[in-house]
Amino acid sequence: MGEKVGMASKLLERFLLVLVVLVATTQAAADGHKSAGGARRRATAEPPVPITILTSAVEKGAVCLDGSPPAYHLDRGSGSGRNSWIVNLEGGGWCDSVLSCGWRKGGYLGSSLHMDKPMFFGGIMSASAVDNPDFYNWNRVMVRYCDGGSFAGEGLDRATGVCFRGQRIWDAAVRHLLSIGMASADRALLTGCSAGGLAAMLHCDQFSAFFAGKNTTVKCLADAGLFLDAVDVSGGRSLRSYFQGVVATHGVAQNLPSSCTGHLDATSCFFPQNIIGNIKTPIFLLNAAYDTWQLRESLAPNGADHNGAWRACKLNRTACNESQLTFLRSFRDQMVATVKDFSGSRSNGLFINSCFIHGQSEMWATWNAPGSPAIGNKGIGKSVGDWYFGRAQVKAIDCPYPCDNTCHHDI
């Protein structure tokens, strides 16, 4: 009897832990959406871009977690950008169990039924020639994120009906875009932020393959997607444990690069550090060396910060003591070491600044606004444009915090 009670207690504890993590993650994603809204747009906002529900994808099994159709937003290009395309894979965390994915399907990150119908674009997605001079008149697409597995899953939980169809959503969305004009593109750029940034890395060569045999310049941009397999403050590996659940729940292994899974386990191959070296398509990595999501959820999550010593530091960098800053600088050193070989390729680009932030390409304030982040007097938007159009090589790595006074830090 005692064993049964103990087991029940453990199951309840596990359920409550998952629920707390899910609520916190969903709220963080929602807060990110809301807070980015002001920074994403100038005071005189551009018109919102309407949603398109891709109902034809359902017959291919390409559905959100709840079985609803996937969706995207498209702002058509014009003039010199009429035959150029940006495909942006939306981010928003992950779900790492059938239970957490079941909860997630009740919101916009798991169902097109709950998505905002119009969406405001900003940063690299902006239609303003002033704010986004290199890409403003391209066809700009935001593929909505509703699978919880970085567009890479393949599976179905028959008991609950939760669908893990990220790979099918990816394939259906790209094929649809090809059918409505992207097939004749002169230029194409696959991009994404956070979980979408990871998705951009996982799918970069797949995206390029859709244009095989065509005279299309194809490149990829991953923003805030350089998630590291790092040791947390308790000596464990919190993010590896979390990713292990994501990979297993979504059946991601079959869709990971074989160049990695041939010698490493599937969870390792969900970490960008183990796949970026084998991406053949030119790719640009944009990341903060002190990524705030990784600080909160990987380096010092509540489960590893047993006495709450990191609570204040996670909320505001100015509350970090010297010991904590030393720990964070070692994380930066790991990130810099991770991209060392990657940066040796002439075709790749790099911008790692010493800022406490998560995601910088989709917001007006950090992309190309006056006073936006810069390394060597060159901002993010200019750096990405120079790299994409071959105007200059960009291999920018900032000096350690707190040397950069151009940062826009999360608080």
Side-chain angles (χ1 to χ4, degrees):
M1 182 68 177
E3 290 182 359
K4 291 182 179 179
V5 171
M7 184 176 296
S9 177
K10 289 180 180 179
L11 288 172
L12 178 60
E13 182 182 350
R14 172 61 178 165
F15 171 78
L16 291 174
L17 176 61
V18 169
L19 182 58
V20 168
V21 169
L22 176 66
V23 170
T25 301
T26 302
Q27 186 61 52
D31 290 345
H33 241 275
K34 293 173 184 175
S35 63
R40 181 179 287 133
R41 309 191 300 273
R42 303 185 67 171
T44 54
E46 301 167 25
V49 181
I51 197 169
T52 297
I53 305 297
L54 192 54
T55 54
S56 62
V58 175
E59 64 184 28
K60 302 171 185 175
V63 294
C64 300
L65 289 169
D66 69 335
S68 60
Y72 68 90
H73 301 254
L74 167 61
D75 195 9
R76 284 284 187 175
S78 61
S80 61
R82 192 181 305 276
N83 290 323
S84 299
W85 290 72
I86 290 178
V87 177
N88 193 325
L89 303 177
E90 186 182 26
W94 307 267
C95 50
D96 66 338
S97 67
V98 174
L99 177 61
S100 62
C101 291
W103 280 98
R104 188 179 174 103
K105 72 179 184 179
Y108 71 92
L109 289 172
S111 170
S112 59
L113 301 177
H114 301 290
M115 292 175 181
D116 294 335
K117 302 315 177 198
M119 171 179 272
F120 288 97
F121 283 178
I124 193 173
M125 302 293 284
S126 171
S128 166
V130 174
D131 299 339
N132 189 28
D134 282 317
F135 306 104
Y136 76 96
N137 63 348
W138 286 31
N139 296 278
R140 285 155 291 110
V141 185
M142 176 68 75
V143 181
R144 298 304 297 268
Y145 183 39
C146 64
D147 67 276
S150 282
F151 295 91
E154 178 56 53
L156 170 68
D157 185 71
R158 297 189 181 278
T160 62
V162 178
C163 303
F164 306 106
R165 302 296 197 191
Q167 183 70 24
R168 296 194 194 193
I169 291 173
W170 151 259
D171 189 72
V174 174
R175 291 185 186 279
H176 172 76
L177 296 172
L178 291 167
S179 74
I180 62 172
M182 193 170 69
S184 61
D186 297 324
R187 301 182 183 91
L189 175 63
L190 177 68
T191 183
C193 178
S194 192
L198 173 55
M201 286 183 264
L202 291 172
H203 295 297
C204 185
D205 283 339
Q206 296 173 25
F207 185 66
S208 182
F210 281 110
F211 299 94
K214 299 179 180 179
N215 191 27
T216 307
T217 299
V218 184
K219 298 186 180 184
C220 305
L221 163 66
D223 176 16
L226 193 56
F227 299 99
L228 298 184
D229 187 6
V231 175
D232 62 38
V233 295
S234 69
R237 292 185 181 270
S238 295
L239 189 55
R240 166 167 279 272
S241 177
Y242 184 46
F243 274 5
Q244 187 173 22
V246 175
V247 169
T249 300
H250 290 261
V252 168
Q254 60 193 296
N255 295 319
L256 295 172
S258 59
S259 58
C260 181
T261 55
H263 65 281
L264 291 176
D265 63 274
T267 300
S268 295
C269 296
F270 202 61
F271 280 99
Q273 65 202 67
N274 297 316
I275 63 174
I276 56 175
N278 290 312
I279 296 175
K280 298 179 176 61
T281 307
I283 184 168
F284 192 105
L285 300 183
L286 165 62
N287 227 95
Y290 305 90
D291 185 291
T292 49
W293 188 94
Q294 295 191 64
L295 169 56
R296 293 191 307 267
E297 307 296 337
S298 174
L299 299 179
N302 292 339
D305 181 25
H306 304 303
N307 58 7
W310 281 81
R311 191 173 299 131
C313 177
K314 288 189 291 184
L315 293 174
N316 189 338
R317 74 198 183 284
T318 63
C320 300
N321 60 39
E322 189 55 38
S323 174
Q324 290 168 331
L325 288 175
T326 297
F327 182 86
L328 294 177
R329 290 188 187 106
S330 69
F331 175 75
R332 172 201 175 269
D333 292 344
Q334 182 181 349
M335 185 176 291
V336 171
T338 294
V339 300
K340 182 178 180 181
D341 292 338
F342 168 90
S343 65
S345 169
R346 292 179 59 85
S347 65
N348 292 333
L350 194 64
F351 191 104
I352 296 182
N353 54 0
S354 291
C355 305
F356 284 74
I357 195 170
H358 181 66
Q360 301 176 87
S361 66
E362 297 174 10
M363 296 188 295
W364 169 73
T366 50
W367 177 248
N368 195 45
S372 62
I375 299 178
N377 296 319
K378 184 186 289 189
I380 295 170
K382 182 69 163 60
S383 296
V384 173
D386 282 354
W387 162 78
Y388 185 89
F389 290 99
R391 297 187 297 246
Q393 287 196 52
V394 181
K395 306 293 173 67
I397 298 179
D398 216 349
C399 48
Y401 176 84
C403 69
D404 191 339
N405 60 8
T406 70
C407 286
H408 289 235
H409 299 291
D410 284 341
I411 296 179

